[in-house]
Amino acid sequence: VRLYIVMTTPIFICGAECGIVTIGATGLTPHWDTVDGTPEISTTTYRNGLRSYRFNIASSSCDLGKNFSQTRLVGRVAIRFATLPNTKTALLQINNANGSFYLWYIQSNSKLAAQVGAGTIQEGTVVTTGVWYVIDFDLNSSGATATFDWRMDGVAQTQATNTQTSVAMSRIMFGVGQYYIATADVYMDDIILSFTGADYPFGDGKVLGFSPNVDGTHSFTAGNFIYNAAGANILVTATDVNTYLDEVPITGTADFINQKLVEAAGYVEIGFVDTSETTDARGLEVVCSQHSATATANKAAMNLNDNGTISAIYALTDISQTALIYHSKQFATAPSTGLAWTQARINALKLRCT
């Protein structure tokens, strides 16, 4: 389980801290909807936190995608080149049936550029290796002219446009080698997406991850929860449940908690590492993984406990998959107040599994 803290009206938040580079089994809302090639997690080169995504390819393509259906998409991503691509290639591709949106790397002059469909390519600033570039973008396909507004490190670049019939965009892909295959080594971090035009530009910011490190107040029938597949019973007074849920990345099953018997209302509860950030966070995302011992139908639920206000991360859902199922849920404001996430509110958060 991981918490991410960033913004105002998020529909996706990712700083690679969860370590997820696969879709996972079906059943909930996956962190990534599509994967092409073999994206990696870097623990040596990152902008914030302790991880970033790495797309290291040779004459191929590699990307991570999120599906959606909207005529407006606002976002931010930080990009760093270890090796510049050897050809023109897309770093961002946002699919649209009447003319897709592209953030290009132009090999002939080492510039980033924006384009919509067959519209004019609008070039930006020259890029080089070893530098993080923060890219803000605002994509709008709601009118007769589709527009691509963008900024590099806070500086507005020339808008890209194309005359095309309005239709919703359907997927955004982060990576390299999209459309034109390439040889390159590229890192990405601090990804944020929103459907709200007023969120543009996000500007410089960070996505931080927080893992479980403390138990909350458990409530369940004795014997219904155990450690791992066949471990000892978890006591209602246990203080070590968090140590079975704190793996980073969250893509392994070395240890876990196991609900052995049906528990209609009971739960185990955990808290998270405190944040030292004193500025109010502009949003929060919970990312979790879960699986079943067998494919026999069974249900589980996970809830956020914000000072006694309980909000579903996912409601009672069949998770009868033996492979890991990944799930993400965003909270733009604190459920208990409807206001921004303060440091105190974040540090008091608990999560309940049942």
Side-chain angles (χ1 to χ4, degrees), residues 72-106:
R72 193 73 176 268
L73 181 68
V74 172
R76 182 194 69 207
V77 59
I79 302 174
R80 177 187 174 107
F81 300 91
T83 303
L84 294 172
N86 66 338
T87 187
K88 173 186 175 182
T89 192
L91 303 168
L92 298 179
Q93 177 176 321
I94 300 86
N95 291 347
N96 182 285
N98 292 333
S100 295
F101 297 71
Y102 302 95
L103 178 71
W104 297 110
Y105 169 77
I106 307 298

Side-chain angles (χ1 to χ4, degrees), residues 2 14 34 46 70 82 119 161 175 180 186 188 223 239-240 254 350:
R2 296 288 277 173
C14 190
T34 64
Y46 46 83
Q70 295 285 328
T161 64
Y180 298 112
V186 179
M188 295 189 182
T239 59
D240 62 349
K350 299 292 188 292

Side-chain angles (χ1 to χ4, degrees), residues 20 58 84 163-164 226:
I20 297 173
L84 294 172
T163 301
Q164 57 189 56
I226 63 175

Side-chain angles (χ1 to χ4, degrees), residues 66 222 305:
K66 284 298 294 180
N305 177 6

Side-chain angles (χ1 to χ4, degrees), residues 41-90:
I41 295 295
S42 173
T43 57
T44 58
T45 301
Y46 46 83
R47 184 169 180 269
N48 286 298
L50 295 172
R51 290 167 182 79
S52 72
Y53 287 108
R54 185 182 186 187
F55 306 91
N56 186 15
I57 59 172
S59 299
S60 61
S61 61
C62 184
D63 59 72
L64 294 162
K66 284 298 294 180
N67 295 337
F68 64 100
S69 181
Q70 295 285 328
T71 58
R72 193 73 176 268
L73 181 68
V74 172
R76 182 194 69 207
V77 59
I79 302 174
R80 177 187 174 107
F81 300 91
T83 303
L84 294 172
N86 66 338
T87 187
K88 173 186 175 182
T89 192

